[in-house]
Amino acid sequence: MDKYDVIIIGAGPGGMAAASSIKQAGKSVAVIENDLWGGTCPNRGCDPKKVLLSGVQARDKIEQLQGKGFENTPFVNWKEIQAFKRTFTDPVSESSRKSLDNMDIKTIVGNPKFISDNEIDINGEILSANNFIIATGQRSHSLDISGNQYLLDSADFLALDEMPKEITFIGAGYISFELAVIASSTGARVNIVHHNDKPLKAFNPDMVSSMMEQMKKRNIEFHFNINPQEITQDDSKYNLHADNFELSSDLIFDATGRIPNTENLNLEKANVTYDRRGIQINEFLQTSNPIIFAIGDVLAKKQPKLTPVSGFEARYVTDYLLGKNTAAVQYPVIPTVVYGGPELAQIGVSVEEAQNDSSMTVKDLDTTNWFTYHRSNDPVAKIKTVINNKNQIVGASILSSDSSEFINLFTTFINSKTPINDILNQVMAYPTSASDLEYLI
């Protein structure tokens, strides 16, 4: 039986980062993966999605400047941009595994199962370790309705060879909003179906409404308060059925959420507690078995399940295992972004929380006609900034073409608790969204 200092289950960004750091410290490490090395983000998630969104952004700039230097707005050529995307994604899995092999880290393909507190069975071989890190991530949820075998998921969308004329997304969260914008920019007609009337529920409703108004102009239609009951196939079409509602399209995608990859690990044998939300951990990212840690999207946690958060947790667990840090994990304030057209970003104290707290004020501005956005004829730009009674920025919600970049400036100032007077004493490059900051606070 082989024994390692650390066995990592899952070779996504978090698992890969932890393996590298632990190996560099002179420890023996094995990494187990049952799918694509490198994980969801670079293979079939945030990275390929962002490549496809580059086409959306280019098209939007041309569309906004019709009659102002341009005459025709082309649709995004799906086959060409898909081929471009694959130049990024195709090499990821092989190169990720090779990078571990080159570090003399043991790499194993298979489905591990715990057989005791400190042992796993992988492909009939028993391995043990002083510590384990579970980083198995999440996968798409599947609706429990008749005909769900006809439903596709976000990975299927990102792998499409051809974009059909009309598609439907079930669910009105990040995935649907982002992929809908991509599809519509190729000329497809897009439907988003949701079980209530609260899309993107974690974001400010006013900003979400403004974002939806822009999406409707892209040939994206929203259908709210619809509870899908059945999917049927009729010739080459797929039909979504609900009470007093029916919708036909070429493809239907299930974007109703993601679930943690826990059920095949035999966690009960390792005395690891988990539920439908994920693995439960303490303030040191330890599971109920103190030699087993968990990081990333597989956790049951309130923090956003994002790639950089997985990396942050990997660094923490690595330092803890190596004795460099014995304090409880302290998460920074974390931004979240819906990469659409426009982009919607949010961080810190929400507008709703601030409105119910007399120690905070909200500055609400429509910046659409400010030079920053008017120069490229952007259709909408809005920002809501939350300020506390210590004269510090504590939250922000931004809707614009560059929200994903602008929010990082707020992230820095919020986490450093920089007083507004100190921010005003800084000189930003002009004219940029950052140079507008002095008027937003």
Side-chain angles (χ1 to χ4, degrees):
M1 178 175 66
D2 290 336
K3 184 173 183 178
Y4 296 86
D5 289 314
V6 181
I7 292 177
I8 298 171
I9 304 175
M16 294 278 294
S20 175
S21 296
I22 293 170
K23 182 62 179 181
Q24 288 175 3
K27 303 292 186 179
S28 58
V29 186
V31 180
I32 302 170
E33 176 57 53
N34 67 355
D35 191 10
L36 295 174
W37 296 83
T40 295
C41 180
N43 283 289
R44 55 168 79 101
C46 37
D47 288 357
K49 173 195 69 183
K50 197 68 181 289
V51 175
L52 298 176
L53 280 165
S54 65
V56 176
Q57 294 163 346
R59 183 179 190 275
D60 284 354
K61 291 301 183 186
I62 295 173
E63 174 69 17
Q64 290 161 200
L65 293 174
Q66 288 297 294
K68 299 173 179 63
F70 293 89
E71 294 182 2
N72 299 301
T73 306
F75 284 116
V76 175
N77 185 305
W78 179 257
K79 287 188 176 181
E80 290 184 2
I81 200 165
Q82 180 69 290
F84 180 51
K85 183 216 75 177
R86 286 171 175 153
T87 65
F88 292 90
T89 57
D90 285 357
V92 167
S93 187
E94 181 180 351
S95 63
S96 296
R97 185 176 186 180
K98 185 177 292 185
S99 70
L100 296 175
D101 291 336
N102 290 340
M103 293 182 66
D104 199 26
I105 293 172
K106 179 68 173 178
T107 58
I108 306 169
V109 176
N111 295 295
K113 295 182 183 296
F114 281 96
I115 58 174
S116 73
D117 282 2
N118 68 337
E119 296 174 312
I120 58 170
D121 182 329
I122 175 73
N123 304 326
E125 181 181 0
I126 307 303
L127 303 179
S128 67
N130 296 325
N131 291 106
F132 291 83
I133 299 175
I134 301 174
T136 49
Q138 293 180 308
R139 67 184 185 279
S140 294
H141 169 268
S142 180
L143 274 176
D144 185 17
I145 59 175
S146 176
N148 63 2
Q149 69 271 22
Y150 298 124
L151 294 173
L152 303 176
D153 61 21
S154 59
D156 295 317
F157 177 92
L158 293 172
L160 287 175
D161 291 322
E162 294 184 3
M163 181 63 67
K165 293 181 179 179
E166 183 166 6
I167 63 175
T168 295
F169 293 96
I170 303 175
Y174 289 78
I175 293 174
S176 289
F177 271 61
E178 293 173 342
L179 301 189
V181 167
I182 293 171
S184 67
S185 293
T186 70
R189 177 179 174 81
V190 183
N191 302 284
I192 294 179
V193 176
H194 196 51
H195 67 96
N196 60 31
D197 59 358
K198 294 178 174 59
L200 294 176
K201 62 182 179 180
F203 288 81
N204 177 258
D206 291 341
M207 294 296 213
V208 174
S209 294
S210 295
M211 185 178 191
M212 287 171 53
E213 287 304 312
Q214 297 304 315
M215 292 175 68
K216 290 174 184 177
K217 297 175 183 178
R218 296 175 176 272
N219 211 17
I220 298 171
E221 187 172 354
F222 293 89
H223 308 271
F224 292 131
N225 298 308
I226 304 295
N227 284 296
Q229 298 174 351
E230 183 182 20
I231 308 295
T232 60
Q233 185 179 22
D234 180 13
D235 295 327
S236 60
K237 293 283 188 177
Y238 296 93
N239 308 301
L240 185 155
H241 303 273
D243 287 338
N244 302 313
F245 180 86
E246 184 172 327
L247 182 63
S248 177
S249 52
D250 298 308
L251 294 174
I252 303 178
F253 295 88
D254 184 348
T256 53
R258 298 177 67 79
I259 56 176
N261 293 317
T262 56
E263 71 281 359
N264 295 321
L265 294 172
N266 213 13
L267 293 174
E268 294 82 1
K269 291 287 187 180
N271 295 312
V272 172
T273 303
Y274 68 100
D275 58 26
R276 63 180 182 82
R277 295 169 48 250
I279 294 175
Q280 296 175 8
I281 41 87
N282 64 12
E283 67 272 25
F284 303 103
L285 302 186
Q286 286 171 304
T287 69
S288 49
N289 179 340
I291 72 165
I292 300 177
F293 295 75
I295 61 175
D297 292 357
V298 75
L299 297 183
K301 60 180 179 179
K302 63 180 181 179
Q303 286 78 19
K305 296 189 175 185
L306 303 169
T307 297
V309 180
S310 298
F312 174 86
E313 291 163 347
R315 289 190 295 274
Y316 170 81
V317 168
T318 298
D319 286 348
Y320 187 87
L321 289 175
L322 297 176
K324 296 179 179 179
N325 183 8
T326 58
V329 64
Q330 294 290 325
Y331 288 92
V333 183
I334 301 168
T336 54
V337 182
V338 182
Y339 291 95
E343 298 175 338
L344 177 57
Q346 186 168 288
I347 186 172
V349 177
S350 70
V351 171
E352 292 72 31
E353 290 172 323
Q355 290 171 338
N356 292 314
D357 189 333
S358 59
S359 70
M360 299 185 188
T361 58
V362 177
K363 195 163 186 178
D364 189 346
L365 291 169
D366 186 330
T367 58
T368 307
N369 291 319
W370 291 23
F371 180 76
T372 304
Y373 304 102
H374 188 52
R375 67 178 178 82
S376 53
N377 202 32
D378 284 19
V380 64
K382 297 181 178 181
I383 183 165
K384 299 175 189 284
T385 310
V386 180
I387 300 169
N388 66 11
N389 57 7
K390 296 179 181 178
N391 211 28
Q392 299 166 330
I393 305 171
V394 292
S397 181
I398 310 173
L399 180 70
S400 71
S401 59
D402 65 350
S403 297
S404 60
E405 297 294 337
F406 199 15
I407 199 69
N408 287 322
L409 193 57
F410 284 85
T411 302
T412 298
F413 290 137
I414 290 173
N415 280 310
S416 64
K417 298 181 180 180
T418 305
I420 286 177
N421 288 340
D422 289 352
I423 297 173
L424 294 175
N425 284 330
Q426 300 189 43
V427 178
M428 305 291 181
Y430 178 88
T432 63
S433 53
S435 66
D436 289 338
L437 187 60
E438 62 178 298
Y439 307 108
L440 304 173
I441 53 179

